[in-house]
Amino acid sequence: MAVDRRLSAILATDVVGYSRLMGLDEEGTLAALKGARREAVDPLIAKYHGRIVKTTGDGMLVEYPSVVDALKCAIDIQESMADRSRDVPEEKRLQLRMGVNLGDVIIDEEDIFGDGVNVASRLEGLSEPGGICVSQAVWEMVRDRVQVRFEDRGELSVKNIARPIRVYNVLLERSRSSTTGPTDQAVAETGKSIAVLPFTNMSSDPENEFFSDGISEELINLLTKIPQLKVSARTSSFAFKNKNMNVTAIGKELGVKTVLEGSVRRAGKRIRITGQLIDADSDFHLWSETYDRELEDVFAVQDEIAHHIVDALEITLSPKQEQVIEKTSTTDVNAYDCYLRGRRFFHDQTGNLKPALEMFNRAIEIDPKYALAHAGLADTSTMLYLWFEKDEAHLERADTASLRALELDPELAEGHAARGFALSLQKNYEEAERELETAIRLDPTLYEAYFFFARTTLMQGKYEKSALMFERASAVRPEDYQAPSLVIQVYRSLGKKAEETEASERAARLVKRHLKLNPDDLRALVLGASTVWQVGEFDLANEWALRAVPLSAHNRSALYNLACFYSVAGDAEKAIDCLEGAASAGPLAREWLDHDGDLDTIRDHPHFQALIETL
C-alpha cells in the first residue's frame, strides 16, 4: 500500500515544569494555559498558516508549509509568552520549550509521523525554558531570511534517532528583552562606538552647508547599518555643530569611544573632503585622509570613509553588510544635492515642510528612478497630513510615492517603512503592519520602522505590541527620548506600573540630556514636560511647558502634546484649551485620541466629549 508523504516544517512545544506548576496551583495553571492558547498561541499559529496536528495536555505539534513561517511563529509565541509573564512571580511563570525541524513526514488522515516529527520533539527537549532549538535543515533555510542570531551547539546524539543531529539555539535575548535592540548584542561583543560630527563647510558659499551636513548624515546612516557598531544619533551629534568643544569632552557627553570629524570644500565640479577618526579617550588619531575628487565621486568617497572606519576599528563585515554599505540609490550628484536639501528641511520640522516637499520633488525630476527620494517624498507628505494640513492630496501623494519607491527598489527598507506609515493613516492597518514588518526584516536598525509600527498598533489599541515596538525603537536609538516618552502612556493603559515607572525615569534622563544639547527643541519641551512630571519634577515640568506655550501657536503637534501634559498634571481646563487649539489648527486623529492614556483624566469632561464627537 502506498504511503502518503510530504515535506513539512514541524514545531513541537511543551510547558516547562508543567507537573510542578499543576502541583502548586492546578486551577490557576490550567486557566493560564488556556488563556495563553486562546489569546496568543493559537492566533499566532493561524497567522503563520500553521495546522495544529495534536495537543497532549501541555504539549503541541504544529505543521507548517513554510519553514520561515514556522520559525517566525515560534519566535512571536515566545515573545508573547515572555510579555504575558513579565509580572508573574518566577515560580508561577508559564514558559515553553520549542523545537523546529524541516523533514519528511508520513500522512495518516489528520496525523503525521516519521523522523521529521521525532527530530522536532527531540529538539524541543534540548531547548532552554523560553527558548527554541532548530535543526541544521531549518538553519540553512532561514539564516538569511529571519532577522535573528543562532548559536551552533554542534552535533548531538538524541534518543531514538540513529544519527547525531546538528543543533542550533535561536538567540532570543534581543527579542524578549524590552530594553535590548537588534544591534545591542553585537555592540556588546565589540564595544565599538562612534559619533559623526557635522562636517565643517569650507566652501566660499555658505549655502553649501546643507551639502556638508548631508554628507555627515549619510555617513551616520551608513554606519548605523553595521550591527557591531554603536552610532550616536543625528540629533545628538548635530547638537555639537558650531560648538568649540574638544573631542574628549564630546565623546564623554555622547558616551562613545571614537569621534569622526571632517570638512567639505566644494568648488564648481570639484570637492575636497577630509575625515579623521579620533580616539575620544586619548585624542589619538586612528585614521585620517583627504580626498580631492570630482563632485560625482562623492558617493565613492562616503563608501571609502565608512570602510576606513571599519578597518580602523577592526570590524569584520559580512558580504551582506558590505553590499548594504556600497549600495547607492542614485548616481546623479544633482539629484543627490536636492535629496540632501530635502532631508535637511525635513529634519527641521518647524511647522513648514513644504521646502522638503519641493526638494524631494526636484530630486525626482532629475532622477525619476531615485527610490530614496520617492520614500522621502512619501514621509514628508504623510507628516504634512498628520500634523500640519489634513489635506487628502498629501495622503494620495504619500501613497503614490511610496509605491513608486518600492517599484524601483523592492528591497528598500525606507520605502517599506514609508508605505507602512502612509497606509496606517489610511486605516489600512493590516497591510501597514506587513509593510513595517518587511522594513524591519530588511533593516533591523531602521528606527522609523519600529516607531511607525508602534504608532500604528497604538491607534488600534494593540497596547502590548505597541509597547514592544516603542521599546525596540528605543533600543535601536538608545539616546532617543521620543519612544520611551510615548511608551509611558502605553504601559499606563496596560496597568503595568513597574514598566511605566521605569520608562518615565529613563525618558526623563534622556529628554533632559537632549534639551541640554538642544534647548530650543519644541517637541522635546512638550513631550518632556509630561515625562518629568511623571517622576515628580513638577517645577521643571511647568517651566518647560511655559517655554513651549509661546512657541506652539498653530502647531497642532505641540498643542496636542501640551494638552497631554496639562491632562497628566491635573489641569483639565488648560488641557481642553490646548486640545481645542490643536483641533482648530486641523482635524485630529480620533484613533489616537481614543487610545492615548495621557488624556484619561479629561475623558469625562463635556468639552472633551463634544470635541470627540466632531472627529
Side-chain angles (χ1 to χ4, degrees), residues 115 118 122 158-162:
D115 276 355
N118 295 337
R122 299 303 173 220
V158 295
K159 184 178 178 181
N160 295 333
I161 303 296

Side-chain angles (χ1 to χ4, degrees), residues 186-199:
V187 168
E189 291 170 359
T190 65
K192 313 293 186 183
S193 55
I194 188 171
V196 179
L197 300 183
F199 278 30

Side-chain angles (χ1 to χ4, degrees), residues 179-251:
T179 58
T180 305
T183 61
D184 281 5
Q185 183 69 23
V187 168
E189 291 170 359
T190 65
K192 313 293 186 183
S193 55
I194 188 171
V196 179
L197 300 183
F199 278 30
T200 303
N201 175 33
M202 302 294 289
S203 308
S204 57
D205 185 356
E207 184 67 15
N208 280 329
E209 188 169 313
F210 77 87
F211 191 76
S212 56
D213 284 354
I215 286 177
S216 307
E217 183 183 348
E218 288 296 284
L219 284 168
I220 290 172
N221 292 339
L222 280 176
L223 295 172
T224 299
K225 298 181 188 302
I226 301 172
Q228 305 94 316
L229 185 61
K230 174 191 170 186
V231 184
S232 185
R234 178 191 185 280
T235 50
S236 298
S237 295
F238 272 58
F240 291 93
K241 186 174 180 176
N242 300 324
K243 291 183 180 177
N244 188 22
M245 289 180 64
N246 63 50
V247 166
T248 299
I250 292 172

